[in-house]
């Protein structure tokens, strides 16, 4: 027993919270304790926080214009003048990285905003309603799953025109079926839970049950899954960039930087490798974070 | 008694017929959906297929004639119906880009991808699964950490970066493997195409030099793709195994005095084998269409780059044909894993 | 390494949509046709105003300048073993016009069309062919057209035996070959490789028994392959690759200026881009030297006139250089002192997007905010042909090395309406130029070479001063060959690349 | 008053259908506590769910005598066997109890919640806890409070104590008994422990294989005055294990 | 001491809590089992009954931190044994029957396959028909009516009682000298559990096995076992002969006993257990 608990900690970790706010905070605190006891997850979180900090304040600190070309200084190796070197057009890679972090974050967020709701809605609807709705929605999902994703993504990207936003939309359109499946499996299980029966008994409408009982419970596993897939999505955006359908030059999107840098990879490793490492770090961070979140949210662990 | 069994077996027959009918209907729906979506998306892409066949300097008259010939003047629905009818007759049309019947192109490019995907999946399974099992058994120990790092790296490293670095190291520096392409020009065409897989064909023909050369070409791209399989499979195996190892029947097996190896492989692993097969099938199907970038870097004439090229040139027949083939493979894989479930998982029967 | 009598070259084969010389129109396929088929005459690479007979032994021009009569070499054979006669020649040329595919546009230049080809191309006897043009053209121009790939001689007997309906054997020839050139086709694997075999019945000895063209998209992959000796020649290396490899003695690079120009097309449908001051301002804004020196050091050179170096009458002076102040003054004059915003369509491959970004940065100096719209080549071209662009950055390659090929492209627009059937570059940029169109036609008719050159020089000056084309660079082909590989003759256009003299030590 | 007349409940399965409840008729008077015993799979839970309206009837009829002026659902509430699955894991006790009130538009929420908690013997300190912060017995109390807060007239209890330790079982049984006394509730209690039934119920029905094989008063049970062999064996089992009793 | 079959002395088991601190689950438990004796372990949920039983077989979960002053079985020092040797004792000399047959049998192996493994462990070298016969006989011995069919069945095709009998057949076939039954009937219906118990009874009588019977059902243990140990909070608070349990003195044991509603003459209100923290620190009775 550690008697020397500070007031706040005791307040947070009490078994007898006195208000909904304290209960929610207490739960968050407990989760945080659990999450923070895993150094790898914390490492992931730290990288992400760094990324957010860089996205927020980096552009103020790194004053060099990420678009400014100094052709005479092209392909300068990393050194004192340019910490991360320069690219084919003599742009400073560090400042491009820093400015591009916003785009990378935006991609990550967009995916969550686009994929999670669609997958969640379709999946929970199918799982909860069952019957013909389930059959219908799952058939659609099957078609979408049987589809070569590259065709869909490329087709949408080509149809929408190039650009990060469109690439993300295209990828999201192809990415939802696994989430729908996951959400369906979860809600199939949940729909049989006694507390759902209890809610129905008390007169809760199907819509209420779906939105207030099922969706919140499924969303954590779907979000965790999305976090784990985030790396894949960032890379897929980069991959579309590689095929010319991702970010528009000269925007400092990391995936595009890697893709463009491959032309000089053999002579100037840093042009493609440094943004590649940045992607690696961020996706690693998302993965670690996802692993950690899964530990925290997994129903088997309670809480 | 006998009438009951008779009734039951007849009922069983009816049930099987019903299930079969349902299944065929489902297949038809899935396929039509696949076809329709590809078709309409393809037509919506703002690329002019005529440009691909006539070039940008042809006269306006030649252009108009070509549009007419391609049937592009007809309403979209009509075009689709015509195409669907042809497909039903087994005619996938002629590719605009390669001037070959699409079916011939697919016969050439699909085995190339299949060969690559199969080999990488083999490697992935051979390394990833034991790694995942070891990680679960030695939970939170060194092996587990290694497996986790590999698993994370596998989902984080850009494939084209890894591919180019692999070429630089193993091909240009160390000379361990051959470079881009499926085979050296010297050996090209030395064995008859039977399966479409150079490795298999050369074994059938008994041409060991060809086999060696083809193998040294496929080793690196397969290795690069296998890296991703290893990562994914070890990750999934690990989490499946962790779940099984905490089950009561594992305790029972131990209480029976079985050696730990048998507890792990016969009991726990026996229970994840089927879901693992599903995951492997998923990873495999992902490789079947997801290896475009690898194909480009390794100049591998596979269906991924074929499809991409076709898409970017509005070569609709080629796009639709390859989509159908890939979709059919996916569906077949799905059905196969379903069937495996039924056969190997007693609870699903 | 590759065997001594086998030549392996990495290049891009994705443009092959057909092998029929009457159908193809892209650069690398032209190269293939040039080496598997013969034609009447070929341009002398050393002096492009001279022509060498190919299957033609000699030729004459009628006094009215309309009819060209060719005497065919006797005893020539096709790869199939069939004899090559005047009948094959006449049929082949007429065939291209009758097929009316992309390649027919070249023959249309001398008035051979679907309607008149049958009458205008005639076999006189077994060794004589006569071709009549619709009006008087400069003879060198006519020979240039007849020396280009659409006039390749195909094996009539063989092709007709495979004809389906009215297709002149096109369907068969798309994937087969029926020529008499130095090499015959062994195997074409789309997007993968082309394998050629020495034609032993050819009229001169050939050192290489086999020639393999391999499709390698990635420049980095090409570089690693040539470094490892898996290919003898790489055609698509970047300046950086070339530098490193030459320095290390891995390759010998030889530079050949190409008849390909990199330019900006400014669409006059955009009111800002319709102003002559804006045209000129843009020309003053581009940092030609800087971009060339740094981004495309060895693969392009600065060139601002519409005739590439090496063409008759080509103007090799580059009056423009970056002068932001001048440009700003011009913009102010146009009422655009604060700049404006436009889109620029660019294909998403190397080096186009790099150059586009550099240009974007240049134009930004005078507050012209350019938004890049990268797409696949076909998509960009489609928009260009539909006049849906603002600025187009891309290349124009001459079909044959006569100045008319480019004059027609840049300075000829007989009908500026949307329904026009001539969609050349001036039309695509909605540039209405009745005067220049007349000048182009006049230069084409001029049979005196010197006078003709003067006419083109004058046109180039006019266009340099005022045109919605900002011509920036001329492509330089860099052929990277392993030491010991000689004899790959590369001309200013792919149609003039010859494998005949290839040798390996 | 509850009246079940020749109820038939049928489930569709892969190979056809099973009749989980067949031809069951019974009558429970208002204010009565009625027991249901029977072997596993005999259809006890299914019958309760049907009474609650969670499972449709395939034949026969059921009446729960709900008042016409309010939704039938609110009149019949159920308490489930597994205290761990009966509460929404993301809702605090407060939210769990507030939901039925807001669904049914019942005002004065805070007072009612506190009263309901007090009624099941939980202090206000428990109000903002999450289910995982409660013991099994406490969870079962919350389930009971949730059922009671909408003021039902019928309470269906599906093995409410079988997942709990005896000591906790005693607390819940005491609570149920008190509630019955104070509220004049009609209750049906499912259990396979005859002693538990005996503690709460006045009458008991024995189910087997989807059918009711015997209905009798609790005094008859105590007097071992039973007709059916199955009931007799059940009675013997309450006495503990007897050597040589055999299978 | 002389006829002690197994002996546990000072067993401690703890688990790392959320914040990393060790939370004790079993605190200094000492127990002995004699040959042919049925020792009941009772107590509330979480009192450490299962862990104590598992510790004997060496089957504590890997995340458990444990220690013991001594663990003896048939005169051997289990603590000094190599894990492999210890594992070899399992299934031959000592066995365990788990609570829920639904989860404790391997779902993807048939009954015969699972039993075959056990026989192989016991050094039975037979195969084919002979082995089949042996399996069928073992199933018959636990009163399974249709042993041929059951042998080919998968666990999910069996009812709970049947599954539990299969477990018993499997675990007892070697005639172990020690059997640990961890709540073998709590997942079963009352009548079925009586049947299972009688099978168990018969088997241990036949092999003269020492039985550790873990349960939370006091009346049942009283009627089934010879001796009872009552556990509370990871501690044995009382040990006595089963028939003396009615007269138990410890307030905890009394509380547990009285909380059971009697069928005859139930009181108006059941007495409930009032826990005393001091119970955790009392000296352990032997
Ligand atoms: N949703 C369902 N689909 C098919 N069969 C069902 C379903 N629910 C219950 N059954 C079947 O109906 C029968 C009765 O089940 P029920 O749950 O009512 O039994 P029970 O008496 O409550 O048993 P227990 O004491 O084990 O809880 C069982 O045979 C069960 O298999
Ligand atoms: N793997 C584990 N991780 C953490 N704590 C555990 C683990 N296994 C058991 N415990 C804890 O150890 C304590 C004793 O567990 P044990 O399983 O021995 O209880 P039990 O007396 O068998 O209870 P029950 O009657 O519920 O089976 C419990 O508080 C439990 O929470
Ligand atoms: Mg039940
Ligand atoms: Mg236990």
């Amino acid at each position: 027993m550690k008697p020397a608990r500070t007031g706040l900690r005791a307040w947070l970790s009490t078994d007898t919270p006195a208000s909904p706010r304290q209960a929610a905070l207490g739960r968050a605190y407990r989760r945080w304790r659990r999450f923070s006891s895993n150094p790898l997850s914390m490492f992931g979180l730290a990288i992400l926080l760094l990324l957010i900090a860089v996205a927020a304040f980096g552009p103020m600190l790194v004053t060099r214009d990420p678009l400014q070309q100094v052709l005479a200084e092209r392909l300068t190796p990393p050194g004192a003048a340019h910490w991360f070197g320069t690219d084919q057009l003599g742009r400073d890679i560090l400042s491009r990285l820093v400015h591009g972090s916003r785009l990378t974050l935006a991609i990550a967020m967009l995916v969550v905003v686009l994929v999670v709701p669609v997958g969640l809605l379709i999946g929970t609807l199918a799982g909860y309603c069952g019957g013909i709705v389930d059959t219908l929605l799952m058939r659609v999902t099957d078609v979408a799953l049987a589809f070569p994703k590259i065709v869909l993504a490329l087709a949408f990207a080509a149809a929408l025109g190039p650009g990060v936003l469109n690439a993300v939309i295209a990828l999201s359109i192809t990415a939802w079926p696994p989430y729908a499946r996951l959400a369906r499996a979860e809600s199939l299980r949940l729909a049989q839970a006694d507390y759902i029966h209890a809610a129905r008994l008390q007169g809760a409408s199907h819509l209420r049950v779906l939105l207030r009982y099922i969706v919140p419970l499924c969303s954590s596993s779907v979000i965790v899954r999305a976090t784990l897939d985030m790396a894949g999505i960032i890379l897929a955006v980069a991959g579309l960039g590689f095929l010319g359908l991702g970010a528009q030059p000269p925007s400092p999107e990391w995936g595009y930087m890697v893709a463009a840098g491959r032309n000089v990879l053999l002579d100037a490793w840093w042009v493609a490798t440094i943004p590649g490492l940045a992607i690696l770090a961020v996706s690693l961070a998302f993965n670690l974070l996802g692993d950690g979140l899964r530990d925290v949210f997994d129903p088997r662990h309670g809480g | 008694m006998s009438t009951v069994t008779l009734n039951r077996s007849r009922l069983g027959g009816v049930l099987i017929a019903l299930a079969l009918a349902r299944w065929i209907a489902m297949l038809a729906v899935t396929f039509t959906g696949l076809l329709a979506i590809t078709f309409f998306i393809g037509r919506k892409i703002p690329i002019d297929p005529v440009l691909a066949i006539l070039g940008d300097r042809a006269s306006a008259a030649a252009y108009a004639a070509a549009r007419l010939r391609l049937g592009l003047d007809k309403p979209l629905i009509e075009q689709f119906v015509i195409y669907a009818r042809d497909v039903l007759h087994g005619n996938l049309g002629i590719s605009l880009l390669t001037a070959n019947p699409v079916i011939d192109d697919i016969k050439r490019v699909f085995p190339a991808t299949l060969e690559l995907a199969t080999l990488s999946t083999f490697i992935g399974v051979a390394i990833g699964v034991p790694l995942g099992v070891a990680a679960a058994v030695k939970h939170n120990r060194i092996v587990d950490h290694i497996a986790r790092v590999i698993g994370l790296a596998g989902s984080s490293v850009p494939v084209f970066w890894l591919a180019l670095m692999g070429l630089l190291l193993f091909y240009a520096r160390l000379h361990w493997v051959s470079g881009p392409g499926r085979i050296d020009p010297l050996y090209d065409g030395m064995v008859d195409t039977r399966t479409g897989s150079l490795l298999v064909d050369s074994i059938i023909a008994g041409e060991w030099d060809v086999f060696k050369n083809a193998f040294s070409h496929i080793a690196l791209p397969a290795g690069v793709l296998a890296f991703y399989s290893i990562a994914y499979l070890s990750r999934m195996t690990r989490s499946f195994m962790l779940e099984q190892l905490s089950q009561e029947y594992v305790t029972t097996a131990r209480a029976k005095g079985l050696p730990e190896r048998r507890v792990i492989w016969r009991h726990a692993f026996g229970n994840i084998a089927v879901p693992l097969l599903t995951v492997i099938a998923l990873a495999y199907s992902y490789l079947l269409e997801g290896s475009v970038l690898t194909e480009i870097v390794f100049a591998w004439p596979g269906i991924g780059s074929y499809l991409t090229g076709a898409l970017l040139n509005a070569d609709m027949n080629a796009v639709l044909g390859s989509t159908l083939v890939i979709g059919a493979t996916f569906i077949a894989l799905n059905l196969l894993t379903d069937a495996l479930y039924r056969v190997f998982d007693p609870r699903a029967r | 390494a590759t065997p001594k009598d086998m030549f392996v070259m990495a290049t891009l084969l994705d443009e092959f949509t057909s092998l029929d010389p009457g159908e193809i129109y892209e650069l690398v396929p032209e190269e293939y046709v040039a080496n598997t088929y013969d034609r009447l005459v070929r341009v002398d690479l050393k002096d492009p105003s001279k022509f060498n007979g190919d299957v033609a032994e000699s030729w004459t021009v009628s006094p009215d300048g309309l009819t060209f009569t060719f005497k065919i070499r006797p005893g020539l054979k096709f790869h199939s073993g069939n004899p090559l006669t005047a009948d094959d020649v006449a049929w082949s040329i007429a065939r291209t016009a009758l097929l009316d595919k992309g390649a027919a546009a070249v023959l249309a230049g001398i008035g051979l069309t679907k309607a008149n080809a049958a009458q205008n191309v005639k076999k006189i006897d077994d060794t004589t062919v006569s071709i009549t043009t619709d009006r008087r053209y400069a003879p060198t121009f006519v020979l240039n057209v007849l020396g280009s790939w659409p006039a390749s001689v195909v094996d009539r007997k063989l092709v007709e035996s495979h004809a389906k309906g009215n297709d002149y054997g096109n369907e068969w020839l798309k994937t087969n070959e029926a020529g008499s050139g130095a090499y015959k086709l062994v195997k074409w694997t789309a997007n993968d490789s082309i394998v050629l075999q020495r034609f032993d019945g050819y009229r001169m000895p050939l050192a290489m028994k086999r020639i393999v063209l391999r499709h390698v998209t990635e420049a980095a992959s090409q570089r690693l392959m040539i470094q490892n000796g898996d290919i003898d020649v790489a055609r698509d290396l970047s300046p950086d690759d070339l530098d490193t490899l030459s320095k290390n003695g891995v390759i010998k690079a030889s530079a050949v200026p190409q008849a390909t120009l990199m330019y900006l097309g400014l669409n006059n449908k955009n009111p800002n881009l319709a102003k002559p001051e804006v045209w000129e301002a843009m020309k003053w804004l581009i940092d030609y030297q800087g971009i060339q020196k740094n981004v495309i050091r060895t693969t392009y050179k600065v060139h601002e006139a519409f005739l590439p170096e090496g063409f008759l009458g080509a103007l090799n002076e580059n009056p423009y250089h970056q002068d932001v102040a001048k440009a700003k003054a011009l913009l102010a004059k146009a009422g655009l002192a604060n700049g404006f915003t436009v889109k620029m369509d660019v294909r998403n491959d190397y080096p186009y997007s790099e150059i586009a970004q550099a240009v974007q940065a240049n134009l930004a100096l005078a507050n012209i905010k350019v938004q890049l719209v990268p797409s696949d080549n076909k998509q960009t071209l489609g928009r260009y042909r539909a006049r849906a662009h603002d600025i187009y950055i891309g290349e124009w390659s001459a079909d044959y090395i006569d100045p008319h090929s480019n004059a027609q492209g840049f300075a000829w627009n007989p009908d500026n309406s949307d329904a026009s059937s001539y969609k050349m570059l001036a039309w695509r940029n909605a540039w209405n130029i009745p005067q220049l169109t007349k000048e182009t036609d006049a230069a084409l008719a001029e049979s005196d070479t010197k006078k003709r050159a003067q006419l083109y020089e004058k046109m180039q000056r006019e266009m340099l001063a005022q045109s919605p084309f900002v011509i920036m660079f001329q492509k330089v082909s860099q052929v990277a060959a392993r030491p010991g590989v000689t004899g790959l003759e590369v001309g200013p256009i792919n149609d003039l690349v010859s494998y005949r003299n290839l040798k390996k030590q | 008053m509850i009246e079940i007349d020749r109820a038939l409940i049928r489930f569709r399965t892969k190979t056809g259908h099973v009749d989980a409840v067949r031809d069951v008729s019974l009558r429970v008077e208002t204010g009565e506590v009625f027991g249901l015993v029977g072997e596993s799979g005999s259809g006890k839970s299914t019958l309760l769910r049907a009474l609650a309206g969670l499972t449709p009837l395939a034949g026969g009829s059921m009446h729960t005598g709900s008042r016409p002026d309010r939704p039938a659902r609110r009149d019949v509430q159920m308490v489930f066997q597994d205290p761990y699955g009966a509460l929404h894991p993301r809702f605090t006790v407060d939210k769990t109890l507030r939901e039925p009130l807001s669904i049914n538009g019942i005002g004065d929420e805070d007072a009612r919640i506190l009263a309901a908690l007090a009624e099941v013997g939980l202090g206000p300190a428990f109000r903002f806890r999450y289910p995982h912060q409660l013991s099994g017995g406490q969870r079962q109390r919350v389930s009971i409070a949730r059922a009671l807060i909408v003021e039902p007239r019928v309470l269906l209890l599906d093995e409410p104590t079988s997942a709990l330790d005896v000591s906790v079982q005693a607390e819940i049984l005491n609570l149920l008994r008190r509630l019955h006394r104070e509220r004049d509730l009609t209750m049906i209690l499912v259990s396979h422990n005859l002693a538990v039934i005996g503690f709460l119920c006045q009458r008991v029905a024995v189910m087997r294989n989807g059918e009711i094989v015997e209905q009798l008063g609790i005094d008859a049970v105590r007097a071992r005055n039973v007709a059916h062999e199955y009931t007799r064996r059940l009675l013997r089992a309450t006495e503990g294990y007897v050597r040589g009793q055999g299978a | 001491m002389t006829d002690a079959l197994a002996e546990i002395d000072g067993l401690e088991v703890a688990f790392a809590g959320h914040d990393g601190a060790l939370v004790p689950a079993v605190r200094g438990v000492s127990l002995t089992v004699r040959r042919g004796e049925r020792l009941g372990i009772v107590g509330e949920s979480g009192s450490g009954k299962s862990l104590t039983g598992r510790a004997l077989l060496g089957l504590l979960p890997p995340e458990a931190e444990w220690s013991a002053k001594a663990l003896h079985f048939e005169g051997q020092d289990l603590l000094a044994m190599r894990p492999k040797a210890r594992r070899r004792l399992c299934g031959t000399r000592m066995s365990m029957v788990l609570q829920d047959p639904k989860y404790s049998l391997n779902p993807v192996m048939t009954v015969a396959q699972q039993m075959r493994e056990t026989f192989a462990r016991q050094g039975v070298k037979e195969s084919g028909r002979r082995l089949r016969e042996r399996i069928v006989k073992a199933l018959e011995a636990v009163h399974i009516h249709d042993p041929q069919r059951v042998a080919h069945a998968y666990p999910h095709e069996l009812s709970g009682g049947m599954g539990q009998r299969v477990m018993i057949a499997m675990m007892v076939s070697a005639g172990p000298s020690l059997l640990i039954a961890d709540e073998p009937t709590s997942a079963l219906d009352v009548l079925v559990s009586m049947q299972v118990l009688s099978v168990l009874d018969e088997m241990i009588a036949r092999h003269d096995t020492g039985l550790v019977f873990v349960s939370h059902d006091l009346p049942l243990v009283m009627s089934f076992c010879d001796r009872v140990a009552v556990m509370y909070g990871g501690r044995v608070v009382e040990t006595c002969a089963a028939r003396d349990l009615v007269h138990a003195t410890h307030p905890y044991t009394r509380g547990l006993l009285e909380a059971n509603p009697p069928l005859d003459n139930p009181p108006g209100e059941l007495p409930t257990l009032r826990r005393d923290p001091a119970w955790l620190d009392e000296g352990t009775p032997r």
Side-chain angles (χ1 to χ4, degrees), chain C residues 207-351:
Chain C
M208 288 298 130
K209 198 168 163 193
R210 239 169 211 248
I211 291 180
V212 179
L213 311 187
R214 290 186 61 184
H215 179 58
V216 183
T217 343
E218 276 296 290
S221 299
Q222 284 197 10
R223 167 169 162 184
L224 290 173
M225 287 172 87
I226 198 163
Q227 201 174 324
N228 258 23
D230 282 343
I231 51 177
D232 297 307
V233 162
R235 296 282 288 274
D236 306 286
L237 296 182
S238 71
D240 294 304
D241 292 334
L242 289 162
D243 261 14
T244 318
L245 292 179
S246 311
K247 237 181 261 152
N248 298 343
V250 176
I251 55 152
K252 272 188 349 249
S254 50
V256 182
Q258 297 289 292
T260 299
L261 298 175
M262 169 94 63
Y263 70 99
L264 306 181
L266 314 178
N267 191 351
N268 283 274
K269 292 207 156 182
N270 179 319
N272 286 335
L273 296 179
K275 296 179 180 164
E277 293 90 351
V278 173
W279 301 344
E280 201 187 338
M282 291 218 180
K283 288 179 191 185
W284 284 117
L285 278 170
I286 308 291
D287 180 11
Y288 306 89
Q289 298 296 337
I291 296 176
Q292 191 272 336
K293 254 210 309 278
N294 291 300
V295 184
I296 39 178
R297 201 161 44 247
T298 45
T299 47
Y300 287 84
K301 55 186 206 153
V302 177
H303 188 90
E304 295 173 3
F306 73 77
L307 287 182
E309 181 188 321
F311 274 49
L312 177 73
L315 202 60
N316 286 324
E317 48 196 67
N318 301 317
Y320 292 99
H321 55 89
Q322 193 175 43
D323 188 336
V324 179
K326 216 180 233 170
K328 279 188 169 157
L330 281 161
L331 284 176
K333 210 167 117 197
L336 292 167
N338 295 325
F340 55 96
T341 305
V342 283
K343 290 199 170 123
M344 177 150 84
D345 278 289
V346 56
R347 58 189 286 190
N348 53 27
D349 319 317
Y350 175 85

Side-chain angles (χ1 to χ4, degrees), chain B residues 248, chain E residues 44-51 54 99 182-183 214 216:
Chain B
E248 282 287 69
Chain E
E44 288 177 295
S45 184
S47 53
K49 308 183 294 289
S50 300
L51 292 176
R54 283 175 185 226
Q99 174 178 359
D182 189 356
E183 311 202 21
V214 176
H216 56 235

Side-chain angles (χ1 to χ4, degrees), chain A residues 265-266 269 273, chain B residues 160-170 220:
Chain A
L265 183 62
L266 299 180
W269 59 268
T273 306
Chain B
F160 45 85
W161 189 88
L162 195 67
L164 276 176
M165 283 302 156
L167 270 181
L168 189 61
L169 184 66
F170 295 110
L220 190 57

Side-chain angles (χ1 to χ4, degrees), chain C residues 241-482:
Chain C
D241 292 334
L242 289 162
D243 261 14
T244 318
L245 292 179
S246 311
K247 237 181 261 152
N248 298 343
V250 176
I251 55 152
K252 272 188 349 249
S254 50
V256 182
Q258 297 289 292
T260 299
L261 298 175
M262 169 94 63
Y263 70 99
L264 306 181
L266 314 178
N267 191 351
N268 283 274
K269 292 207 156 182
N270 179 319
N272 286 335
L273 296 179
K275 296 179 180 164
E277 293 90 351
V278 173
W279 301 344
E280 201 187 338
M282 291 218 180
K283 288 179 191 185
W284 284 117
L285 278 170
I286 308 291
D287 180 11
Y288 306 89
Q289 298 296 337
I291 296 176
Q292 191 272 336
K293 254 210 309 278
N294 291 300
V295 184
I296 39 178
R297 201 161 44 247
T298 45
T299 47
Y300 287 84
K301 55 186 206 153
V302 177
H303 188 90
E304 295 173 3
F306 73 77
L307 287 182
E309 181 188 321
F311 274 49
L312 177 73
L315 202 60
N316 286 324
E317 48 196 67
N318 301 317
Y320 292 99
H321 55 89
Q322 193 175 43
D323 188 336
V324 179
K326 216 180 233 170
K328 279 188 169 157
L330 281 161
L331 284 176
K333 210 167 117 197
L336 292 167
N338 295 325
F340 55 96
T341 305
V342 283
K343 290 199 170 123
M344 177 150 84
D345 278 289
V346 56
R347 58 189 286 190
N348 53 27
D349 319 317
Y350 175 85
Y352 308 96
S353 74
E354 265 87 351
I355 296 174
Q357 288 179 66
V359 167
Q360 182 185 35
N362 289 163
L363 296 184
L365 294 175
N367 276 327
I368 301 179
K369 286 171 278 303
V370 176
Q371 197 185 336
L372 294 184
V373 186
S375 337
D376 182 73
N377 186 22
K378 292 275 156 36
Q379 225 172 323
T380 318
L381 265 180
R383 266 203 299 282
Y384 193 25
R385 253 187 83 99
R387 307 210 267 197
H389 64 295
D390 283 342
I391 302 179
Y392 170 85
I393 180 167
E395 287 179 336
W396 168 265
S397 302
D399 290 329
Y400 37 84
I401 54 172
D402 187 275
H404 181 65
S405 187
N406 275 21
Q408 191 189 26
F410 286 98
W412 189 71
N413 185 9
D415 175 4
N416 195 33
S417 73
D418 281 345
S420 166
S421 56
Y422 309 104
K423 307 194 168 176
M424 300 313 257
L425 302 187
W427 176 87
R428 291 182 202 177
N429 289 297
W431 190 32
N432 198 9
I433 37 167
Q435 180 56 33
L436 271 169
T437 304
K438 258 184 229 140
E439 286 180 43
T440 301
D441 286 335
L444 181 60
E446 179 57 60
S447 53
D448 184 297
T449 306
K450 216 163 171 189
K451 267 198 199 141
R452 194 165 170 234
Q454 280 165 0
L455 288 175
Y456 284 120
E457 273 173 30
K458 176 170 167 275
M459 284 168 66
Q460 287 177 76
R461 291 230 157 73
E462 284 170 23
M463 298 262 297
L464 267 175
Q466 212 175 73
S467 73
F469 295 108
V470 184
I471 296 167
M472 303 179 291
F473 307 109
Q474 176 175 1
K475 188 169 180 164
V476 177
S477 162
Q478 289 282 0
V479 178
R482 302 267 311 169

Side-chain angles (χ1 to χ4, degrees), chain D residues 79-101:
Chain D
V79 175
F80 300 91
Q81 171 176 5
D82 179 11
Y84 293 86
L87 298 180
H88 194 291
R90 298 285 165 79
F91 287 0
T92 55
V93 171
D94 179 74
K95 190 148 181 223
T96 300
L97 298 180
R98 197 178 293 272
E99 273 283 305
L101 297 179

